[in-house]
Amino acid sequence: MTGTLVVAGLGPGDAALITPEVTAALADATDVIGYTPYVARIPGRAGLRLHATDNRVELARATHALELAAAGCRVVVVSSGDPGVFAMASAVFEAAEQAPHLAHVDIRILPGITAMLAAAARAGAPLGHDFCIINLSDNLKPWEVIERRLRLAARADFAMAFYNPRSASRPHQLARALDILRAECGAERLIIFAHAVTTPDERLVVTTLAEARADMADMRTVVLLGNAATRRVGPYVYTPRHAL
Amino acid sequence: MTGTLVVAGLGPGDAALITPEVTAALADATDVIGYTPYVARIPGRAGLRLHATDNRVELARATHALELAAAGCRVVVVSSGDPGVFAMASAVFEAAEQAPHLAHVDIRILPGITAMLAAAARAGAPLGHDFCIINLSDNLKPWEVIERRLRLAARADFAMAFYNPRSASRPHQLARALDILRAECGAERLIIFAHAVTTPDERLVVTTLAEARADMADMRTVVLLGNAATRRVGPYVYTPRHAL
């Protein structure tokens, strides 16, 4: 008997942002697998096994999930935010590609509120025009690729969202990214540091590239950059629907 | 007495993708305002006024919403998807900017599942690496801006999501965009036409730029383009977490 594998997005933190579709999948699961802090958000119940694992073991976690599903379990892999945006969905397909004996497993991805959408909503509408999303971690790609994307995105006048802007093992990359953006976009461009949005630790800093410092971000921060037309109206930041 | 203005995302169509936060705001509203097909998704009840308006009147609708809130109503402006992604949030701030006498209204944006995330989830994980989002409508920006963004995004090797790819009044733009993308990305690049995702009319076409035709899209389609590494695994399309 083959089970099922669901990869579900838990949203940015607040339970009121978990979709009913994800809640139903969790209620039907026999096994929940994920990075420890995300699994900690799932209430235990009889008949549910929780498998919490460390960060940076995404492929092993994905393979484990596929194996449990192949053995007949109803498995939910939990991600924060949306599983398709720098989260577990790609890792699951990577694992399936490497394990043809598990290729028959039925995989469903359930979308969630990704961090940039929750952060943008708190700030106003800074992503209200064309924009791009860049993972600033160089764990899985060369730093040169990131620099090139930053420059091209700035020349296209995209608003931007940056995931994984800074961690203990990558303390210097964000400062370099901010230098590039200041050179390309000018010092007055608006930037938002959104920390732990929708959690009790939420903190939003709206400033300009002139004032932005790398230590305004940490592992729980998503950073949003406006385009050339982005501006303030009252306490809000928004990007008009028209191009400059 | 001043009321409140909430701009809420209803997600792509399936009620199971509406967040509990949005459901609670709708339950507390005195007035719901929006484009007719979105307002049609809200069940009526005693004490709730529904204001359905035509497309292309976003600013007038936003001003009306601000006026009702200033008069003490609890107003919810409904958007499909996420209100901050090519939807009503920017229009509301634009209207607030133009009407300083309404600037005291308390505005809250509630995020939703935007079409590209729902479409990506159905296809697999095509947005699993850095990507950008471009509105292909040239109603609010010159077509030259769109062409330039397409070329720069292709050179950055972003995966891409295209909103508003085609309408009765803009039948030719998508064909031009596909020509540019074929020239920049090559004919074998994977592309997904996702029509009315999560509704009974859902239809997904996965093909290559060589086979892509503009008439595969209409007003209810979001189009996803892979990056250079995007590939198929079984019935799914995914973009690896590593850069090529």
Side-chain angles (χ1 to χ4, degrees), chain B residues 44-130:
Chain B
R45 60 173 161 77
L48 177 66
R49 288 176 296 268
L50 299 175
H51 310 260
T53 49
D54 198 5
N55 211 347
R56 299 203 178 210
V57 296
E58 287 86 357
L59 264 191
R61 182 190 301 144
T63 304
H64 182 209
L66 285 163
E67 285 166 348
L68 285 172
C73 301
R74 292 187 302 280
V75 183
V76 178
V77 173
V78 287
S79 271
S80 75
D82 179 274
V85 178
F86 308 128
M88 282 300 294
S90 280
V92 165
F93 293 113
E94 222 172 298
E97 197 174 43
Q98 293 176 14
H101 64 291
L102 299 173
H104 61 292
V105 171
D106 177 52
I107 302 171
R108 280 174 66 215
I109 312 295
L110 306 187
I113 304 290
T114 186
M116 68 179 174
L117 297 186
R122 281 293 201 264
L127 304 178
H129 194 77
D130 301 338

Side-chain angles (χ1 to χ4, degrees), chain A residues 26 59 65 120 130 147 149 163 177 194 217 238:
Chain A
L26 289 168
L59 263 191
D130 302 337
E147 286 206 2
R149 286 183 181 156
Y163 281 66
Y238 92 103

Side-chain angles (χ1 to χ4, degrees), chain B residues 195-242:
Chain B
H195 175 83
V197 168
T198 82
T199 79
D201 303 327
E202 175 172 318
R203 198 173 60 243
L204 230 73
V205 175
V206 177
T207 184
T208 60
L209 281 176
E211 305 290 329
R213 296 187 322 271
D215 65 7
M216 292 173 176
D218 65 15
M219 276 183 63
R220 297 176 70 198
T221 306
V222 65
V223 180
L224 306 179
L225 183 76
N227 73 10
T230 302
R231 50 190 186 255
R232 296 175 191 256
V233 51
Y236 310 106
V237 175
Y238 92 102
T239 300
R241 301 167 300 150
H242 302 70

